[in-house]
Amino acid sequence: MASNLMQANPIDSQRPLQFSTNWYLFRGMAFGMQQPTIRGELCIGRSLGGQLSRLESIISSHINEQAPIIDDHDEYQRFAQLVVFWIGALQRQCGIPVSERNLCLPEARASGSSDQRYLVFDVIMPYLHEAAVAIAMRWMTTLFRLAADTQAKGAPGTETDELADRVVLDRIYQDLKAYGEEGINTYHIMQAANRLDIPLFRLGDRMFMLGTGQYACRMDSTLTDQTSPLGIHIARNKMRTARFLNTMGLPGARHSRVTSREEALGAARRIGYPVVIKPADQQRGKGVCADIRDEQTLTEAFDAARQYSENILVEKWVDGFTHRLTVFQGQVIRITKRVAGGVVGDGTGTVSDLIKRWQEQEDNRDRARRLGRFLLELDTEARGLLRQHGIDEQHVPAAGEYIRLRRRDNINAGGHNEYLSVADAHEDNLRLAVAIARLLRLDFAGVDLIIGQINQSWLATEALVCEVNAQPQMGTRNNESIYQEVLTGLMGDRCRIPACLVIGYTDSENTRRTVSSLLEGGSYNGLSLATGLKVDGHLVTKGFSDSFLAARALLQRVDVRAAICCMSPDDVVRFGLPLDRWDRIEIVVADKARQSEAGVFAEVRSIVQEHGDRQSRGGEEVSCTV
């Protein structure tokens, strides 16, 4: 289906890099792509000869991902390949998990006018959101134009011009980020699936399915279809979690549920200061205030927590750091130490000096510009903690001394994470985390253990499990490999059922004979047709609007151990393929193919050619991959 991705004018000599207005988007895979496929034209002005190397350097400085090594002596062909890479890398940078695979066909053609001022390249890319591709193209052409303008002027613009340019690019970038995955887990799991060649189906929102047929696993972030619903029910409420842990003789929290300031004050007196205020049913530190030692701070914290929930807990505070022990299938695979927002002394600077230095760091300035404030400031909360410890902003901490300035330890409150080696943790703490996950029957679990040092045993010192997360974040961009390790363990050795694609008209005797022959062998128990799905010889659904949707539905059924997906050639041309890789592809030509069908079958061959090596057999065409 053609789509006007770029609301742009026809080729224009004032725009040295541009994309054609008409692109063809497939609902499925084509030309060897792992994801839905888009095909169109990229135009590069011939006038850029000699400038491309410098422009490449400028654009690369905005892209976090390392460009692939491209060995091409033609500078325009090489640059075109880089542009296609940058379009995908920019989307990935914004949390959109598109595959790294793309194609820039080597046969360029001239276009523009009598002087043939443009080279036009056919490009093929994966996509997840049509609008996101258009925005990435707009960002690319905008940056390219700004960089080319600077090159033409021979000198950089004024500081005001550069700021205006950055604002324009930032605005486009934020538009693109709106299409990113909601959670870090979902993005990285999908990318890991792409790299591990695991079939992936989107099920809506954050839900997706890995694998096909009987080997499929449905997930919502790190929740799987094997996770205990009762375990999730307990873990998502801090009161239930604490009661469960204490009943089992494990270090659950001591707390009281309160509904008013007066009840909160009474609970704090009974429990004994210092205490923590927190909502019972929120995560990511929402409404949490720790190390409370006086009534005024307690009432203020209660009011803040009530903004997030009616279920408020007053809990005994335990001195130490929160250590997230991430458990997967009975093994701790990652330990993260959360450090609340604060500063570390150097022996010379005051607390005030150290805060200013923190604010001058580029990352913190960029975040402050986006949020409209610094996450770490000498505000009421920071001054209160300083007074609590008998110091003020003029105190000079010793070298290496940590001064806490925030009452909760989340990143969005100015904190940071430190990644610790699992080998350095005390065995008792590892056994504790694994036991909790097993008792709750969670295949993934994030166990938050508050303890001074992770190499101390929780049995020998004051410690507390303050939370169990049934849907924990597994990693970050800095340790993406953990997702591949997890998916390898989750999916095992097999993630694909045998799958055969039959492309032919269902009213053709050749097509019916081919399907019957495949079914007679007994290897396949699932068949998709636009008229409905059959499993183990029984019709199990009604009809579909097209054979592509029927095939996708069959591949997602867990009662299918081997599938035959029958598609019409017209649907293949319109929608692409429902799966990225096939054990067998049969292209079945009718006995007396009409002349009008010849073009359709030629297009079919170009779409499937990267998915298998075609062979000939008795007048029918067969495409097989093993």
Side-chain angles (χ1 to χ4, degrees):
M1 48 185 158
S3 176
N4 191 5
L5 268 184
M6 300 293 293
Q7 299 297 325
N9 297 319
I11 291 178
D12 176 359
S13 62
Q14 302 302 312
R15 301 170 63 238
L17 174 75
Q18 54 192 293
F19 301 89
S20 65
T21 56
N22 291 321
W23 287 69
Y24 199 91
L25 291 93
F26 294 91
R27 202 191 281 167
M29 296 73 159
F31 311 106
M33 294 293 108
Q34 291 177 291
Q35 293 176 318
T37 307
I38 176 172
R39 182 175 187 172
E41 295 176 341
L42 165 66
C43 310
I44 300 178
R46 284 180 177 272
S47 61
L48 295 170
Q51 300 181 38
L52 294 180
S53 179
R54 180 179 179 278
L55 292 170
E56 176 186 335
S57 177
I58 292 173
I59 297 173
S60 294
S61 68
H62 291 264
I63 303 294
N64 293 339
E65 199 171 315
Q66 182 73 35
I69 297 174
I70 300 173
D71 184 16
D72 199 306
H73 298 296
D74 185 293
E75 64 173 343
Y76 284 94
Q77 173 70 31
R78 182 179 184 279
F79 196 82
Q81 290 178 278
L82 283 172
V83 170
V84 178
F85 160 75
W86 287 327
I87 292 295
L90 184 65
Q91 293 177 77
R92 291 188 289 275
Q93 199 164 303
C94 291
I96 304 170
V98 294
S99 167
E100 287 96 342
R101 179 167 169 74
N102 54 65
L103 293 173
C104 178
L105 304 184
E107 297 83 12
R109 58 189 181 278
S111 181
S113 65
S114 58
D115 61 0
Q116 305 291 285
R117 60 171 57 101
Y118 277 91
L119 285 175
V120 181
F121 297 88
D122 289 322
V123 297
I124 299 169
M125 299 180 286
Y127 79 98
L128 291 182
H129 306 284
E130 175 184 346
V133 178
I135 295 170
M137 289 176 174
R138 179 156 53 92
W139 184 95
M140 183 62 59
T141 53
T142 301
L143 176 58
F144 195 91
R145 176 178 55 78
L146 295 172
D149 286 349
T150 301
Q151 173 77 5
K153 293 174 184 176
T158 66
E159 184 176 342
T160 302
D161 291 338
E162 292 175 2
L163 178 61
D165 293 345
R166 188 166 67 242
V167 169
V168 170
L169 289 171
D170 281 350
R171 189 178 299 124
I172 300 173
Y173 191 80
Q174 292 306 314
D175 290 344
L176 185 58
K177 288 187 72 173
Y179 290 90
E181 294 298 326
E182 182 179 336
I184 291 175
N185 280 330
T186 302
Y187 169 83
H188 285 298
I189 290 173
M190 293 178 72
Q191 282 297 76
N194 289 333
R195 291 166 185 155
L196 293 172
D197 194 29
I198 297 174
L200 180 65
F201 299 81
R202 291 303 300 262
L203 305 177
D205 297 328
R206 296 180 306 179
M207 294 186 292
F208 51 92
M209 189 183 88
L210 300 171
T212 55
Q214 65 181 350
Y215 301 125
C217 173
R218 290 176 174 84
M219 299 185 71
D220 176 353
S221 183
T222 48
L223 284 180
T224 77
D225 50 18
Q226 300 301 311
T227 304
S228 163
L230 287 178
I232 297 171
H233 178 70
I234 293 171
R236 283 184 171 168
N237 184 281
K238 295 179 177 66
M239 288 184 67
R240 287 193 289 264
T241 300
R243 187 181 303 118
F244 175 82
L245 293 175
N246 288 325
T247 299
M248 302 304 295
L250 302 176
R254 291 195 300 117
H255 55 223
S256 295
R257 183 175 180 273
V258 297
T259 59
S260 66
R261 289 182 173 184
E262 291 71 25
E263 289 184 6
L265 291 169
R269 295 188 195 104
R270 289 193 305 274
I271 294 173
Y273 288 98
V275 296
V276 178
I277 283 276
K278 63 172 67 173
D281 49 10
Q282 297 293 313
Q283 295 181 352
R284 300 183 180 178
K286 292 180 180 178
V288 174
C289 185
D291 195 12
I292 300 172
R293 304 189 180 205
D294 60 77
E295 294 186 351
Q296 179 179 343
T297 305
L298 181 69
T299 55
E300 292 172 353
F302 177 84
D303 292 342
R306 280 294 293 269
Q307 295 179 25
Y308 296 97
S309 174
E310 295 291 321
N311 300 313
I312 308 301
L313 302 178
V314 177
E315 181 179 293
K316 181 65 178 175
W317 183 70
V318 171
D319 190 13
F321 293 97
T322 302
H323 295 80
R324 164 64 62 88
L325 285 79
T326 303
V327 181
F328 170 61
Q329 293 187 341
Q331 183 177 357
V332 176
I333 61 171
R334 177 173 178 253
I335 299 178
T336 306
K337 177 182 176 181
R338 296 180 190 160
V339 181
V343 293
V344 178
D346 60 4
T348 60
T350 65
V351 171
S352 180
D353 295 333
L354 296 170
I355 292 174
K356 290 177 182 176
R357 292 177 199 169
W358 184 92
Q359 293 177 346
E360 289 170 357
Q361 295 174 16
E362 185 176 353
D363 289 349
N364 296 326
R365 284 204 316 271
D366 289 343
R367 184 179 293 180
R369 188 169 61 247
R370 293 194 303 270
L371 298 177
R373 60 182 176 83
F374 283 105
L375 291 179
L376 205 58
E377 299 176 315
L378 198 57
D379 52 14
T380 302
E381 182 180 6
R383 293 181 189 278
L385 278 166
L386 292 173
R387 284 196 306 271
Q388 186 170 292
H389 294 286
I391 56 178
D392 60 20
E393 63 267 26
Q394 297 306 314
H395 173 70
V396 179
E401 181 184 358
Y402 164 69
I403 304 295
R404 182 169 179 161
L405 299 171
R406 289 290 178 258
R407 292 187 180 275
R408 58 192 181 102
D409 54 15
N410 297 80
I411 291 176
N412 56 12
H416 69 276
N417 291 334
E418 296 178 2
Y419 300 98
L420 308 180
S421 170
V422 174
D424 292 337
H426 198 285
E427 283 291 331
D428 290 342
N429 300 334
L430 300 178
R431 280 192 288 266
L432 172 67
V434 170
I436 291 172
R438 184 174 291 123
L439 289 167
L440 291 173
R441 298 184 181 179
L442 302 175
D443 44 1
F444 288 95
V447 178
D448 288 350
L449 175 65
I450 299 177
I451 194 169
Q453 298 294 333
I454 197 63
N455 58 5
Q456 298 174 305
S457 168
W458 71 273
L459 292 167
T461 187
E462 189 176 31
L464 168 70
V465 173
C466 64
E467 183 177 347
V468 178
N469 192 323
Q471 197 172 22
Q473 181 177 314
M474 301 299 296
T476 66
R477 288 186 182 274
N478 297 323
N479 62 342
E480 292 179 332
S481 61
I482 195 171
Y483 289 94
Q484 295 189 43
E485 295 170 11
V486 164
L487 286 198
T488 299
L490 184 67
M491 302 304 295
D493 295 333
R494 303 194 69 178
C495 62
R496 295 175 181 266
I497 60 170
C500 173
L501 177 64
V502 177
I503 303 173
Y505 292 107
T506 54
D507 60 356
S508 162
E509 181 60 33
N510 276 357
T511 301
R512 288 195 291 267
R513 189 169 60 249
T514 298
V515 172
S516 297
S517 175
L518 290 167
L519 288 172
E520 285 173 3
S523 299
Y524 298 95
N525 78 318
L527 171 66
S528 75
L529 298 163
T531 53
L533 307 184
K534 289 186 176 181
V535 178
D536 295 323
H538 302 288
L539 184 66
V540 294
T541 72
K542 292 185 177 181
F544 294 81
S545 60
D546 55 70
S547 57
F548 175 87
L549 291 178
R552 293 282 285 185
L554 183 72
L555 293 166
Q556 294 179 63
R557 290 186 65 106
V558 295
D559 55 354
V560 175
R561 63 177 182 273
I564 300 171
C565 299
C566 193
M567 290 186 66
S568 73
D570 301 304
D571 281 351
V572 171
V573 172
R574 289 173 63 202
F575 305 123
L577 305 182
L579 191 63
D580 62 324
R581 185 159 59 81
W582 300 85
D583 297 279
R584 185 182 188 90
I585 300 177
E586 299 260 2
I587 303 175
V588 185
V589 181
D591 294 328
K592 296 180 180 179
R594 297 181 296 272
Q595 186 66 31
S596 61
E597 295 173 1
V600 174
F601 278 104
E603 185 65 21
V604 165
R605 293 185 192 102
S606 70
I607 289 172
V608 306
Q609 64 182 350
E610 296 296 329
H611 296 267
D613 300 322
R614 290 195 307 278
Q615 301 173 354
S616 259
R617 190 183 66 190
E620 299 176 3
E621 288 198 44
V622 181
S623 173
C624 304
T625 62
V626 180

